């Protein structure tokens, strides 16, 4: 079967021949002329050849191409014919008729390129001619872009490109054609640069030999290329592979490909320690069979192993030809590529770039032959000597043509070249863009030096042009350059960024807005490159001699994000976007870190650091990877090959095909660089601390530099002071600094080094240059660029002399003497001035070469210098001026600046560190957050666009996330504060808030963000809490908070909840009608007399919904998860809402207080850490309150709620209980206003926690409170006068902290002392207010006493103390204020709860219980009616206490009435009972009294049992504490006696039922069995302390209304008296004071006889008296054996007394008795009737001031059983502390003295000791006088 391809060729022949003939037929030709026509002739020959073959590949491609190419070359053919021939050629290429494997392919392709680029034809009309040109373009494109195009030589490629450029730049051609040429060029450039990794850089030995120059020129340009073409090697032999059918078998060819490209992955280890990615070193196929070349490489876009050479290294090895026999190890060491393998069946030597794996190489090395004459091109392809006659091999194109093309493109972009039109500039930029997109140029040194110098230079110049398209294109090229090659272009990048900054900040009105926009976009785009920003920071900001690019750009962007006009433009948003880019990437890294486990993180970091120490291979090698199909782990996927009949659509895809699966890596580069790091760093990745030090040092250096530029000496001195330069001066160090610091003024350097005093420095300075190997003018050029040569001749002389000496030395003294060198150097400077100085040139014609040589004749030590050298010097100077720094302007200066930049880049300074992403995020964030948040806030504020608002919010959230991740609380606070402003919550007035907030979408977004951030990152909030709490307050005021947040627990309210938002009183009664009218007017103006409009209602609903989403309550409930520091700040924020005159609103404070309390309860697990703060706050609110108000009430309730919840916690319970003393420190009238809350709260507290209270102190606090609020007892004076340290809990707070709370008040004139004043007196004892303060006093509870450790109760000093109690009175003598009935009832409930549960009565609280009961007894006496008398005196309008104060003036308009369902205002007096419910009042209080009686009775009866069980328990425990005695003495003093006194006091109640009930209880109690154990002394005190005071009291007119009832009471009391007397007569008789006791009883009988108005007492008293007398007589008390009458003195005295009121009684009873005259030897005259007795002063009782007692004053319960009496009231000045009557065991008076004789009051011992202190006897002296019996026992001896 004949190959179809043959038919295609035949078809084309006939078309072209027909056309030629048609053209000829019009002429006079005859058919015979065909033979003579060479064109037709060659076609007919070709026909013949084709007829004789079966397969087109049997003939050389040249054979069937030649006729067509001749048509193209022929000058005689017309355009259409040439066009047809071109079409045919194009078709051959498209169908792949030229087999790339064919040995003639290269020659054929070369011919084709030559013919088409030199096409000639006869022009007809422009349009038709352009069609031909168009076809030429098509063929050139196909030629380069088909697989066989790989055979083209460097020259052909250059010519092809040149042809296209010509069409492109020929302005006479139509635009369509020019554009087509442009597109063709784009494809070609794409192809060539995409193939770059397949080429190798040839060693220098091949460059620069006598090769023909590759030269491309544009228009009139003729810039010669530095690069020479390679010399041709002999043409390779041709081996043609044919399958039997004459066609290459597809199966076979694909197997060949697989063989070549399958490969084994290998990893090559490098000394640098970085391992390269594994890759397939597979064959790059350019085999022309379409089947084999379609293997598209999906993954490689890095540079190949073969391409790793670097010029210097390769020059050494290049001379050795590499042959296939070289063993693998040797190959590796060769930085060249590898030899080419010859497969058994096919010779592929002529195919470029076929590389094999090591294994294959080793296996098949036997089949390779070695020729000495071989030429191996640098890409590793071997060309053996040809057996052909042509003799010259065609070397396929490689790097040289690319280099030339690149150079040409760069030359097109030079804006200073007058040949370059705008079109050319634009074209050049466009193609460079393509080239940079397609290839990674950095590894190719020859291309890189073009980039560093000309390209970057032209680009920076182009940024200054005002044509948008050029400007935009150059920015695009710059991006590609710096994205991929920034590590080689450190200073170029710096210059570029500075240029962009200038454009952005330019004030020039001609500068188009779009240009600024583009510059910003360029920055944003760069910013987006991973780790770009970090690299800026490391390489510039952290480099001593670079500008702070990152910092400056950040400032610029932030400033630029703020519109001056207030109008937002794109530039502002772009600036913000750039700032946000840093935030975005940092946030992404933080998120990743959070997600990754720490272990993985560490691992990955260590590898990154190792491998990327200085060159981030990952960035380098995969920069381009994104532009191609991604590679898996660096492995190449070799795609199954598909047969394509037409070339790929683009150059890039074609290049991919020509390079089948090669994986390249920039290895040697990595190896070479990985060891380097900049000198300024200690490691490749310096830590933040090191960077900080560098930055500080940099600041100092800049200061020093500025000083140097004014006065060099001063600058050096400053740097020495700062330790940056050593002192004394080290010349080498200074010289180095002068050389490397680019900021120094060159003029100043010149002056400083040329100074005569610094000659050593000059030597060191010259030594810093490396002049070795440089010609003297080159060295001089270098030298003179480093400083400004001064103008004075001697100075110049010195500078040049040092220079030439050094130059001569390092170059081995090439001149005869140093003077010769000096002269030459001077001559060079003169020549430079002569050639380039304008002033000189005006006057003279510049010097010629001859003149220059002539001037130097014989200077070299009498000889001439080398003439060639002089010529070179002359030309060098003439062509390029030696620029003196700071002297030139314009282009010359630019050139100079640029050359300095290149020098710096070539030094170690130019090293650019690649760092892993996220390495310095923390530092970057620290620098950017301020500007970013400011910019975000501004944009958020000004923008209305939803997307922008969302972007801003996302920015805020990201900043928050980062600051949380790094724990930057200042950033987070700042952010929250900014956002809080946007919520409008704090700025808007409360009335408008719901409407404004509800209708402001932005404010709602801000609010949601604030709350969600606080919920999420609350841990790092500090200052920001204040703002959040202010916002909460505003929401509260505007009633936008959820109901659950404004409802709080309450003890009194029946629902147990009240709302903090209370109703307004419509108008106080006191307000005048005018005022209310005015307020009505203002209100009506506001509201338009109607309710809120529907919009307002909708807005309010929206606001409520938004706040619900914000979930503010979560802040409280989640507070338990906050870090302690944040929690403390939150609490501080809540506490800071304390009274401050202007804005203070107690409701706000109450709301904050509630939140605070809820937070404490949420945090009860760690409450001990914050308790102090809360306690101090409550102290502040309660103790300093001078009037009662809602806030105080909430504070008190709060304190109790805390106590109830926290008491169960061991760690804090005692402190909490202690804190309840705060309430005792409150002003009494303030406390009384909140008594009901406290009463209910305490009830709750005791019910839930009584079992958790163990310490006497705590019980003492609780009972004192119960007494104060239930009975209106004034709180203990000691706590009132000077509430010593409020830090009684722990003392942990510093004084300053505490006092800071209320310094504002210290100066106020007020009646109490604030804490801060107390602190100032810390150690000093306070001056007592009055003399009475001195030795009285409650135990003053200071820090020490309350410290748990010190509160051990010792018998000697009980911290328990009561006010001084007059024990001989039934009352406690406490100053009772008002009390609230309900509080009293509740307190009695609480008390009975404790008393009735035996478990709650403990030794710690027993006596306190008893005392409390007595206090309540007093309070409930007569139904507490005393309160009614005094009540009105200090009452303020209680109604207002629950209502709001008038709204603040500040708000201007009064707040609208609150419509929340509120309980009515509470009154805390008994008003409501007085007015509303008088009846129930009495029943209630009656019930209280009965309850109390019952309680006293219960305690009284159970006391003995309780005490004995305690004693027993303690006995078992053998407790070392105070002993508990269960004897009767103890029981009497601490229990029975006080209880009996209490009952007795109720016997004096004005209400009859109470009196009767009390008497019954009293009688039952006195006659109870347990009391029988009491001894005489106790019974005596029973009379003195219980019965006598009772009888005294009953003499008063207690209940005027109930006369009869009173009679009965008195009668029962007297009866009780006599019963008790008679029942215990025998013990009483043993008392030495029995006589006095008896006389007192008689006194009472006397009084009672005359007290009543009815006969009841007149009858009862004599009966009782008779009864007693008879019993006493029977007992023989009245009888005495000694007396002469047989009767004792008592008998006499008795009757003497009775006769006063019952004269006839004696006769009635003892008719038989004779009464003799008594003999009185008493020295003291008896006062006839005892006058003082019936004149009691009951009025004094209630007024006895309550006086505190210090522990030492307390009587001790010592073993001798003395009664625990309290001292006598201080109103009796002569009496110090009483001693007790001595017990019966005390020694009696001496026998010689009659017990009945009164002793004179001489003994000093006896003077101050009071007797029974009856309330009726106020003067002890009087008693002495009136008692007929001795009343004063001897003081007991112990």
């Amino acid at each position: 079967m004949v190959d179809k391809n043959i038919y295609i060729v035949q078809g084309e022949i006939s078309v072209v021949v027909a056309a030629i003939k048609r053209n000829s037929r019009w002429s006079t030709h005859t058919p015979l002329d065909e033979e003579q026509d060479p064109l037709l002739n060659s076609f007919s020959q070709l026909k013949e050849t084709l007829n004789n073959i079966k397969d087109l590949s049997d003939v050389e491609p040249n054979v069937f191409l030649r006729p067509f190419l001749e048509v193209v070359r022929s000058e005689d053919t017309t355009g259409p014919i040439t066009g047809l021939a071109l079409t045919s050629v194009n078709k051959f290429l498209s169908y792949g008729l030229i087999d790339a494997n064919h040995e003639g392919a290269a020659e054929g392709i070369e011919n084709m390129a030559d013919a088409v680029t030199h096409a000639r034809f006869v022009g007809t009309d422009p349009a038709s001619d352009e069609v031909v040109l168009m076809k030429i373009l098509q063929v050139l494109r196909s030629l380069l872009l088909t697989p066989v195009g790989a055979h083209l030589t460097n020259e052909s490629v250059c010519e092809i490109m040149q042809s296209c450029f010509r069409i492109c730049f020929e302005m006479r051609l139509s635009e369509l054609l020019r554009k087509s040429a442009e597109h063709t060029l784009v494809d070609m450039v794409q192809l060539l640069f995409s193939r770059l990794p397949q080429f190798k850089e040839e060693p220098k030995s091949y460059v620069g030999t006598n090769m023909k120059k590759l030269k491309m020129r544009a228009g009139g340009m003729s810039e010669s290329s530095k690069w020479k073409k390679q010399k041709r090697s002999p043409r390779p032999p041709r081996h043609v592979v044919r399958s039997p059918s004459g066609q290459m078998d597809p199966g076979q060819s694909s197997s060949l490909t697989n063989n070549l490209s399958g490969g084994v992955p290998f990893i090559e280890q490098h000394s640098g320690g970085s391992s390269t990615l594994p890759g397939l070193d597979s064959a790059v196929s350019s085999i022309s069979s379409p089947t084999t070349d379609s293997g598209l490489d999906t993954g490689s876009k890095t540079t190949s192993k073969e391409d790793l050479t670097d010029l210097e290294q390769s020059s050494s090895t290049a001379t050795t030809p590499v042959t296939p026999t070289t063993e693998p190890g040797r190959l590796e060491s060769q930085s060249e590529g590898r030899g080419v393998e010859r497969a058994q069946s096919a010779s592929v030597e002529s195919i470029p770039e076929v590389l094999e794996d090591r294994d294959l190489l080793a296996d098949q090395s036997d089949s390779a032959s070695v020729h000495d004459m071989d030429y191996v091109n640098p890409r590793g392809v071997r060309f053996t000597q040809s057996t052909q006659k042509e003799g010259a091999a065609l070397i396929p194109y490689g790097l040289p043509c690319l280099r030339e093309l690149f150079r040409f493109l760069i030359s097109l972009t030079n804006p200073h070249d007058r040949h370059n039109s705008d079109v050319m500039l634009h074209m050049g930029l466009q193609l460079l863009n393509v080239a940079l997109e397609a290839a990674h140029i950095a590894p190719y040194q020859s291309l890189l030096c073009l980039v560093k110098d000309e390209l970057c230079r032209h680009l920076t110049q182009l940024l200054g042009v005002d044509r948008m398209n050029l400007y935009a294109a150059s920015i695009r090229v710059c991006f590609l350059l710096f994205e991929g090659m920034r590590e080689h272009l450190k200073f170029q990048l710096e210059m570029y960024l500075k240029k962009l900054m200038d454009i952005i900040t330019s004030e020039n009105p001609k500068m188009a807005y779009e240009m600024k926009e583009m510059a910003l976009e360029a920055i944003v785009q760069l910013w987006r490159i991973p780790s770009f920003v970090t690299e800026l920071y490391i390489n510039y900001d952290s480099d001593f001699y670079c500008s702070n690019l990152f910092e400056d750009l950040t400032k610029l962007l932030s400033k630029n994000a703020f519109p001056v006009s207030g109008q937002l433009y794109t530039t502002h948003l772009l600036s913000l976007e750039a700032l946000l880019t840093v935030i975005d990437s940092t946030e992404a890294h933080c998120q990743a870190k959070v997600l990754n486990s720490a272990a993985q993180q560490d691992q990955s970091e260590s590898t990154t650091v190792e491998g990327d120490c200085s060159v981030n291979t990952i960035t380098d090698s995969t920069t381009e990877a994104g532009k191609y199909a991604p590679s898996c782990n660096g492995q190449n996927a070799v795609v199954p090959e598909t047969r394509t009949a037409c070339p790929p659509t683009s150059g890039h895809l074609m290049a991919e095909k020509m390079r089948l699966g090669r994986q390249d890596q920039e290895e040697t580069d990595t190896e070479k660089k990985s060891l380097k790091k900049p000198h300024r760093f200690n490691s490749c990745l310096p830590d933040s601390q090191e960077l900080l030090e560098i930055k500080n040092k940099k600041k100092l250096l800049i200061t020093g530099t500025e000083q140097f530029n004014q006065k060099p000496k001063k600058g050096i001195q400053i740097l020495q002071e700062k330790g940056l330069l050593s002192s004394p001066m080290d010349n080498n160090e200074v010289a180095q600094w002068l050389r490397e610091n680019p900021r120094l003024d060159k003029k100043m350097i010149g002056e400083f080094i040329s100074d005569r005093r610094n000659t050593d420095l000059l030597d060191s300075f010259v030594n810093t240059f490396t002049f070795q190997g440089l010609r003297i003018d080159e060295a001089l050029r270098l030298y003179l660029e480093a400083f400004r040569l001064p103008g004075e001749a001697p100075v110049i002389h010195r500078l040049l002399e040092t220079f030439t000496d050094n130059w001569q030395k390092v170059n081995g003294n090439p001149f005869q003497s140093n003077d010769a060198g000096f002269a030459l150097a001077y001559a060079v400077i003169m020549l430079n001035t002569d050639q380039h100085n304008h002033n000189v040139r005006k006057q003279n014609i510049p010097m010629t070469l001859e003149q220059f040589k002539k001037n130097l004749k014989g200077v070299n030590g009498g000889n001439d210098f080398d003439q060639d050298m002089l010529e070179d010097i002359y030309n060098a100077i003439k062509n390029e001026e030696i620029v003196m720094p700071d002297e030139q302007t314009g282009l010359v200066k630019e050139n100079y600046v640029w050359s300095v930049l290149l020098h710096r880049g070539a030094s170690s300074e130019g090293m650019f560190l690649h760092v892993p992403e996220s390495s310095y995020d923390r530092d970057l964030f620290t620098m950017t957050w301020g500007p970013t948040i400011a910019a975000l806030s501004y944009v958020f504020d000004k923008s209305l666009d939803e997307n922008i608002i969302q972007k801003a919010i996302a920015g805020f959230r990201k900043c928050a996330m980062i600051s949380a991740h790094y724990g930057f609380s200042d950033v987070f606070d700042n952010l929250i504060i900014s956002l809080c402003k946007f919520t409008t919550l704090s700025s808007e007035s409360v009335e408008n808030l719901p409407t404004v907030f509800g209708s402001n979408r932005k404010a709602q977004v801000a609010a949601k963000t604030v709350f969600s951030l606080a919920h999420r990152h609350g841990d790092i909030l500090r200052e920001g809490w204040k703002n959040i709490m202010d916002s909460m307050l505003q929401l509260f005021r505007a009633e936008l908070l959820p109901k659950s947040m404004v409802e709080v627990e309450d003890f009194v309210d029946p629902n147990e909840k009240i709302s903090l938002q209370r109703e307004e009183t419509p108008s106080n009664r006191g307000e005048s009608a005018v005022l209310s009218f005015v307020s009505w007017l203002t209100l009506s103006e506001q509201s338009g007399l109607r309710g809120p409009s529907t919009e307002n209602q909708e807005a309010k609903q929206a606001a409520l919904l938004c706040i619900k989403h914000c979930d503010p309550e979560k802040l409280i409930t989640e507070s338990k998860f906050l870090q302690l520091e944040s929690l403390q700040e939150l609490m501080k924020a809540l506490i800071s809402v304390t009274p401050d005159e202007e804005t203070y609103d107690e409701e706000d404070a109450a709301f904050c207080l509630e939140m605070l309390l809820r937070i404490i309860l949420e945090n009860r697990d760690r409450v001990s850490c914050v308790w102090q703060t809360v306690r101090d706050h409550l102290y502040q609110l309660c103790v300093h309150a001078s009037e009662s108000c809602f806030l105080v009430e909430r504070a008190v309730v709060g304190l109790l709620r805390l106590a109830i919840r926290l008491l169960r916690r061991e760690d804090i319970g005692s402190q909490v209980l202690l804190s309840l003393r705060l309430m005792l420190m409150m002003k009494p009238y303030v406390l009384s206003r909140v008594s009901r809350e406290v009463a209910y709260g305490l009830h709750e507290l005791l019910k839930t926690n009584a079992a958790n209270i163990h310490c006497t102190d705590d019980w003492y606090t609780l009972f004192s409170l119960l007494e104060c609020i239930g009975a209106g007892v004034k709180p203990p004076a000691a706590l009132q006068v000077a509430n010593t340290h409020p830090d009684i809990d722990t003392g942990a707070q510093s004084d300053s902290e505490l006092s800071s709370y209320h310094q504002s008040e210290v100066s106020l004139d007020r009646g109490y002392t604030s804490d801060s004043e107390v602190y100032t007196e810390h150690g000093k004892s306070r001056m007592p207010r009055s003399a009475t303060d001195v030795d009285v006093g409650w135990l003053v509870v200071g820090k020490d006493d309350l410290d748990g450790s010190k509160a051990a109760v010792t018998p000697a000093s009980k911290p328990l103390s009561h006010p001084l109690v007059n024990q001989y009175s039934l009352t406690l003598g406490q100053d009772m204020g008002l009390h609230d009935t309900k509080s009293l009832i509740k307190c009695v409930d609480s008390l009975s709860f404790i008393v009735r549960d035996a478990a709650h009565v403990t030794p710690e609280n027993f006596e306190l219980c008893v005392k409390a009961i007595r206090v309540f007894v007093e309070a409930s006496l007569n139904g507490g009616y005393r309160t009614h008398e005094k009540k009105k005196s200090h009452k303020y309008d209680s109604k207002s206490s629950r209502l709001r104060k008038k709204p603040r003036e500040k708000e201007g308009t009064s707040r609208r009435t609150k419509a929340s369902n509120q309980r009515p205002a509470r009154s805390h007096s008994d008003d409501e009972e007085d007015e509303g419910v008088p009846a129930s009042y009495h029943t209630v209080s009656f019930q209280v009294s009965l309850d109390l009686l019952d309680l006293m009775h219960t305690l009284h009866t159970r006391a003995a049992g309780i005490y004995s069980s305690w004693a027993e328990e303690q006995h078992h425990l053998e407790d070392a504490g105070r002993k508990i005695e269960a004897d009767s003495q103890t029981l009497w003093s601490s229990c029975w006696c006080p209880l009996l006194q209490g009952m007795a006091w109720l016997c004096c109640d004005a209400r009859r039922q109470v009196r009767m009930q009390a008497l019954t209880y009293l009688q039952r109690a006195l006659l109870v069995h347990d009391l029988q154990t009491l001894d005489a002394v106790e019974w005596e005190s029973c009379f003195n302390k219980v019965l006598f005071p009772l009888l005294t009291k009953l003499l008063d007119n207690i209940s005027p209304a109930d006369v009869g009832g009173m009679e009965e009471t008195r009668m029962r009391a007297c009866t009780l008296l006599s019963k008790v007397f008679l029942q215990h007569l025998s013990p009483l008789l043993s008392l030495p004071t029995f006589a006095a006791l008896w006389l007192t009883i008689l006194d009472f009988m006397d009084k009672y006889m005359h007290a009543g108005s009815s006969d009841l007492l007149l009858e009862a008293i004599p009966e009782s008296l008779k009864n007693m007398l008879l019993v006493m007589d029977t007992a023989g008390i009245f009888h005495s054996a000694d007396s002469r009458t047989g009767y004792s003195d008592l008998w006499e005295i008795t009757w003497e007394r009775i006769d006063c009121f019952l004269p006839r009684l004696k006769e009635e009873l003892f008719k038989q008795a004779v009464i003799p005259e008594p003999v009185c030897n008493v020295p003291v005259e008896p006062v006839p009737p005892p006058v003082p007795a019936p004149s009691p002063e009951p009025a004094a009782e209630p007024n006895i001031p309550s006086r505190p007692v210090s522990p030492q004053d307390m009587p001790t319960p010592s073993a001798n059983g003395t009664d625990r009496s309290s001292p006598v009231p201080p109103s009796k000045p002569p009496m110090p502390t009483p001693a007790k009557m001595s017990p019966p065991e005390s020694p009696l008076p001496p026998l010689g003295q009659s017990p009945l004789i009164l002793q004179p009051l001489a003994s000093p011992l006896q003077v101050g000791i009071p007797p029974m202190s009856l309330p009726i006897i106020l003067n002890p002296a009087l008693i002495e006088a009136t008692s007929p019996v001795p009343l004063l026992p001897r003081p007991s001896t112990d």
Side-chain angles (χ1 to χ4, degrees), residues 1018-1034:
D1019 261 353
I1020 58 161
L1021 248 184
R1022 298 290 180 267
E1023 305 289 310
W1025 279 122
K1026 177 98 179 67
N1027 297 65
I1028 293 184
M1029 290 306 136
D1030 288 348
S1031 305
M1032 292 270 262
L1033 253 183
Q1034 280 291 79

Side-chain angles (χ1 to χ4, degrees), residues 1782-1808:
S1782 69
E1785 301 94 272
S1786 58
L1788 290 167
L1791 290 175
Q1793 195 178 359
S1794 156
L1796 298 175
I1797 305 299
L1798 277 175
Q1799 296 163 9
L1801 299 175
S1803 158
L1805 276 176
Q1806 299 167 352
V1807 173

Side-chain angles (χ1 to χ4, degrees), residues 76-332:
D76 307 331
T77 46
T78 55
I81 297 173
T82 309
L84 286 172
L86 287 167
T87 309
S88 304
V89 172
N90 200 31
K91 188 182 277 187
F92 299 157
L93 288 170
S94 307
Y95 285 149
L97 301 190
I98 303 162
D99 183 354
N101 290 330
H102 201 295
E103 41 199 10
E107 205 179 337
I109 287 293
E110 192 65 11
N111 280 337
M112 194 188 290
D114 186 62
V116 178
T117 50
H118 298 103
R120 305 266 197 284
F121 58 93
V122 179
T124 46
D125 62 296
S128 318
D129 296 349
E130 286 196 1
V131 174
V132 183
L133 290 175
M134 187 75 171
K135 287 187 171 173
I136 290 177
L137 280 177
Q138 269 178 345
V139 175
L140 292 177
R141 181 182 188 279
S142 302
L143 186 55
L144 203 52
L145 261 62
T146 39
V148 75
H151 287 287
L152 288 165
T153 59
N154 286 310
E155 289 86 350
S156 306
V157 173
C158 286
E159 281 182 345
I160 289 172
M161 301 299 289
Q162 183 82 35
S163 306
C164 295
F165 277 116
R166 278 203 199 98
I167 295 174
C168 202
F169 295 152
E170 180 50 76
M171 297 314 286
R172 287 171 298 190
L173 298 175
S174 70
E175 188 171 5
L176 184 62
L177 183 59
R178 291 204 314 273
K179 285 293 171 208
S180 305
E182 203 173 300
H183 288 305
T184 308
L185 279 167
V186 168
D187 265 341
M188 291 173 171
V189 170
Q190 214 176 58
L191 169 86
L192 293 170
F193 281 92
S194 298
R195 285 198 66 198
L196 180 63
Q198 304 164 28
F199 302 141
K200 286 211 60 63
E201 189 127 44
E202 65 275 38
K204 283 182 180 163
S205 53
Y206 287 123
V207 184
T209 46
N210 53 352
M211 296 186 184
K212 180 182 161 200
K213 290 181 178 175
L214 287 177
K215 190 165 63 181
M216 293 172 62
R217 45 175 90 80
M221 282 185 68
S222 83
E223 189 176 327
S224 67
S225 150
K226 302 177 195 166
W227 309 110
K228 315 291 188 281
K229 183 179 171 283
Q230 286 193 305
K231 104 185 149 204
R232 293 181 183 268
S233 285
R235 180 167 295 187
R238 300 171 182 161
H239 301 298
V240 182
V241 189
R242 294 200 185 84
S243 56
S245 66
Q247 181 188 6
M248 187 159 180
D249 177 49
Q252 191 188 335
S253 62
S254 62
S255 69
L256 165 70
T257 310
N258 292 339
N259 189 13
L260 291 170
S261 64
V264 182
F266 69 97
I267 295 179
E268 187 169 332
Q269 204 54 44
H270 278 276
S271 56
S274 67
S275 64
T276 58
L277 300 170
L280 287 176
D281 185 17
S282 343
V284 172
S285 162
S286 48
I287 299 172
S288 75
S289 152
T291 332
T292 56
D293 327 312
S294 54
L296 181 58
D297 154 28
T298 56
S300 68
K301 179 66 231 96
T302 44
T303 55
S304 82
K305 281 213 171 354
E306 284 62 42
D307 301 319
L308 289 169
T309 43
D310 167 59
L311 288 173
E312 293 79 26
Q313 284 193 341
S314 45
S315 55
S316 56
T317 54
T319 47
T320 332
V322 182
T323 58
T325 47
T326 320
E327 70 278 16
R330 160 101 178 277
L331 275 177
E332 293 251 316

Side-chain angles (χ1 to χ4, degrees), residues 891-907:
L891 202 54
V892 179
K893 182 175 183 182
E894 258 180 57
N895 292 343
Y896 165 70
V897 170
W898 191 258
S899 71
V900 170
L901 182 146
L902 290 176
H903 287 161
R904 279 184 76 198
S907 70

Side-chain angles (χ1 to χ4, degrees), residues 1404-1440:
E1404 280 78 25
N1405 65 11
F1406 188 86
E1407 291 174 48
L1408 291 167
C1409 261
V1410 173
K1411 173 171 172 275
I1413 292 174
R1414 288 188 61 194
V1415 171
F1416 290 136
V1417 164
E1418 283 182 51
S1420 69
L1421 188 71
N1422 310 337
Y1425 83 99
R1426 289 174 312 132
T1427 53
H1428 298 266
E1429 302 160 7
K1430 298 189 202 166
K1431 192 189 309 169
K1432 300 289 183 274
S1433 61
H1434 77 285
K1435 203 180 123 194
Y1436 67 105
D1437 182 8
S1438 62
K1439 296 266 191 303
S1440 64

